[in-house]
Each structure stands twice: as structure tokens, then as C-alpha cells.
Amino acid sequence: LLFCMIPTTMKPISTVTAITLLIACCSIWEGVSGLSVVNRKTFWKKLGAGAAVAFAPLTADAFDPYTFNHQYDDPKHPNCKRIVVVKQDGAAMISGTEGTPSCPEDGSGEVWRLVGDSEGKNLQVDFSQAGGPDNMKGVWDGDGIKWSDGNKWYIKGMLPKTPDAEKTSD
């Protein structure tokens, strides 16, 4: 049974891998031989029980901290770089460039580097070294990080177009 459990820290597994694990679990439950003949009804019954055990951690509210790992567009600082890297243990490294308020097209500007912590879908960063608040909270919302000051960093390339930008691109 212990071989069937999938730690919540692992990335989701493929369907083929899951089925293989479930079949292995059913075989292990049959005894030491593991290869004993099992009728179809018993097999599916045990396969269902194995699925409940194997996939329980995947259906929980587990959030992969690597989800934060992107380059971002910051609408309050156009062209400025924003990079977030979160390790599995929750340690976050945030870096970027600063402009007043925007950076040149190549993203160059004064470089800053910060550290923070993540827990689930939440980030907490001390932005004081970059001229911001010392206890900024951010929440992952599906396509970026919504910060407690009302700003949102969008995954690079996913910044919504403004009506003015659409008019100039025609």
C-alpha cells in the first residue's frame, strides 16, 4: 500500500504511469506472488480502491510553487523586466529592472533583486530595497500575480491589450 501513495510534492503523472501504478498496487495487494490470477470483478474493485489512494493527493488543493516561475509584464512599468523563481521549498527570488516609470524597449534599467517566501498560491516579498513596500503580498490568479497594492504582473505575452493599443496597431 505504501508503494501506491504519490507524494503531493511530485508533479502530476501521466495516465499510463498512473494505470501501471494501480495495476502494480492491485498485484501487491494479492500477496507476495503479486502475479496471482484475479478475476475481473476483483481486479476492477481493487483498481478502484487503488485509484482512490493513488489520486487522493492529486485532487487535494495542492499547488505547485513552480507555477510562479515566469517572466512577467508589469503594466505600471512597461518594458521593465520582472522575473520570479520559486524553489520547491517555497523560497522565492524576484528580480527586475526599474525605469521611471518605463524601461527602454530592451528592458534595460537599474537592476534589483529581492527574496521572498511562497506558501500555496501566495507570495510575500519585501520590495523596500526596490523602492516599494516592505510586506507586499501577491496571489497567483491563473495568468499572473495580483499584488496587494492593486497591480498585477501578467505572464510575459499575456498582458491584455488596451483599446488604445488596438487602435495604434491597426
Side-chain angles (χ1 to χ4, degrees):
L1 180 61
L2 293 176
F3 298 110
C4 299
M5 293 186 186
I6 301 170
T8 58
T9 58
M10 291 180 62
K11 292 189 178 209
I13 58 175
S14 71
T15 303
V16 174
T17 304
I19 291 171
T20 303
L21 283 170
L22 293 172
I23 291 171
C25 289
C26 291
S27 298
I28 291 169
W29 286 340
E30 276 304 305
V32 177
S33 69
L35 298 175
S36 62
V37 177
V38 179
N39 69 37
R40 190 178 324 158
K41 185 176 179 180
T42 303
F43 172 80
W44 287 111
K45 182 178 176 184
K46 290 187 178 188
L47 185 63
V53 170
F55 287 107
L58 297 178
T59 59
D61 191 25
F63 181 78
D64 185 358
Y66 294 138
T67 302
F68 285 108
N69 295 355
H70 290 284
Q71 293 183 32
Y72 294 89
D73 287 320
D74 179 351
K76 290 189 177 183
H77 301 278
N79 298 327
C80 294
K81 294 181 181 180
R82 301 289 185 262
I83 302 168
V84 177
V85 177
V86 177
K87 297 182 353 185
Q88 190 66 38
D89 66 1
M93 283 74 62
I94 299 90
S95 63
T97 55
E98 194 59 52
T100 51
S102 62
C103 292
E105 295 244 351
D106 67 357
S108 61
E110 186 179 336
V111 176
W112 49 262
R113 291 181 181 87
L114 309 170
V115 294
D117 294 305
S118 74
E119 186 173 326
K121 294 182 179 186
N122 300 301
L123 270 180
Q124 185 166 333
V125 182
D126 178 357
F127 275 93
S128 61
Q129 293 179 357
D134 63 353
N135 191 21
M136 181 80 83
K137 292 181 170 74
V139 178
W140 178 258
D141 73 351
D143 63 354
I145 303 168
K146 180 75 172 166
W147 294 99
S148 54
D149 68 353
N151 192 16
K152 179 174 176 178
W153 292 0
Y154 292 88
I155 295 174
K156 193 124 184 112
M158 297 189 70
L159 183 67
K161 292 190 187 262
T162 62
D164 293 335
E166 290 175 4
K167 288 177 189 172
T168 58
S169 65
D170 289 339

